[in-house]
Amino acid sequence: MFGMDKKKLQLMPHDVSWKDDFLSESERIKSAVHDSSIRIEHIGSTSIPNVYAKPILDLAILCGGNGLEPVITALRELGYEYRGQFDDKIGHFYAVLDKGDIRLVQAHIYTEATDDWNLKLKFRNVLSQNAELSKEYNDYKLELAKRVSSKGEYAKIKDKWVDKFILKVFER
């Protein structure tokens, strides 16, 4: 099972069971939403083979034809904490599933297939298929994790690096 103490930074080698965890959680959400047009994608490092990851399942949920409210309602019924709009991104919302101090799932919820939605999928797809880029990404993450003292600092520095790294991803 996936999950990580919210107060600690932990990177683990890729675990093939993360795919099964995704499929299970995806089905759980789809069953609760009752909208066959909803789309759920496995994103983040747990979706990329051979890359170390925080053992937290990252989901990208594209709301179906019934919109955002049924998704929010279903996630809350499943124990998620709905956090509202993500940063300042229009049409991008966020929810988390915790068990005590353990973060299990982070869900990015989109009302439409925005550039950010498409970027997350392309990033996953290219790194899953390109060993050279996935190794560069993995090496950076591991080195960064040795130098930082907190999850927040790790995420902030990594996100800035990823913004530049994405240019390489789009060249592919």
Side-chain angles (χ1 to χ4, degrees), residues 11-113:
L11 295 181
M12 296 177 57
H14 184 80
D15 185 331
V16 294
S17 72
W18 289 338
K19 181 178 180 179
D20 292 333
D21 292 337
F22 161 73
L23 293 171
S24 176
E25 189 63 12
S26 176
E27 280 307 310
R28 199 170 83 97
I29 293 169
K30 286 177 183 178
S31 293
V33 173
H34 305 294
D35 181 350
S36 61
S37 62
I38 188 176
R39 183 171 163 195
I40 303 175
E41 295 284 341
H42 187 188
I43 60 168
S45 295
T46 60
S47 70
I48 305 169
N50 303 314
V51 171
Y52 275 63
K54 294 180 298 201
I56 301 169
L57 192 61
D58 286 306
L59 307 177
I61 301 172
L62 185 59
C63 295
N66 295 330
L68 179 64
E69 286 306 315
V71 173
I72 294 169
T73 299
L75 289 175
R76 284 181 172 146
E77 289 171 359
L78 294 172
Y80 282 76
E81 176 188 340
Y82 176 66
R83 299 253 176 108
Q85 186 172 321
F86 186 79
D87 292 335
D88 60 350
K89 298 179 181 180
I90 304 298
H92 182 175
F93 303 88
Y94 188 66
V96 296
L97 179 64
D98 296 334
K99 185 175 184 180
D101 288 335
I102 305 297
R103 170 75 32 93
L104 300 171
V105 183
Q106 300 175 142
H108 294 267
I109 307 156
Y110 295 86
T111 54
E112 61 184 271

Side-chain angles (χ1 to χ4, degrees), residues 88-158:
D88 60 350
K89 298 179 181 180
I90 304 298
H92 182 175
F93 303 88
Y94 188 66
V96 296
L97 179 64
D98 296 334
K99 185 175 184 180
D101 288 335
I102 305 297
R103 170 75 32 93
L104 300 171
V105 183
Q106 300 175 142
H108 294 267
I109 307 156
Y110 295 86
T111 54
E112 61 184 271
T114 63
D115 288 344
D116 188 52
W117 163 272
N118 292 317
L119 179 65
K120 286 182 182 342
L121 301 186
K122 178 157 181 134
F123 187 83
R124 175 203 62 200
N125 293 343
V126 169
L127 267 67
S128 293
Q129 298 167 3
N130 186 308
E132 180 183 321
L133 286 177
S134 65
K135 181 180 181 335
E136 183 178 347
Y137 179 56
N138 189 59
D139 290 349
Y140 177 79
K141 289 174 58 168
L142 291 173
E143 192 57 40
L144 177 61
K146 292 177 189 174
R147 297 190 326 253
V148 298
S149 59
S150 72
K151 270 184 14 184
E153 183 182 12
Y154 170 84
K156 187 176 180 180
I157 294 170
K158 183 186 72 114

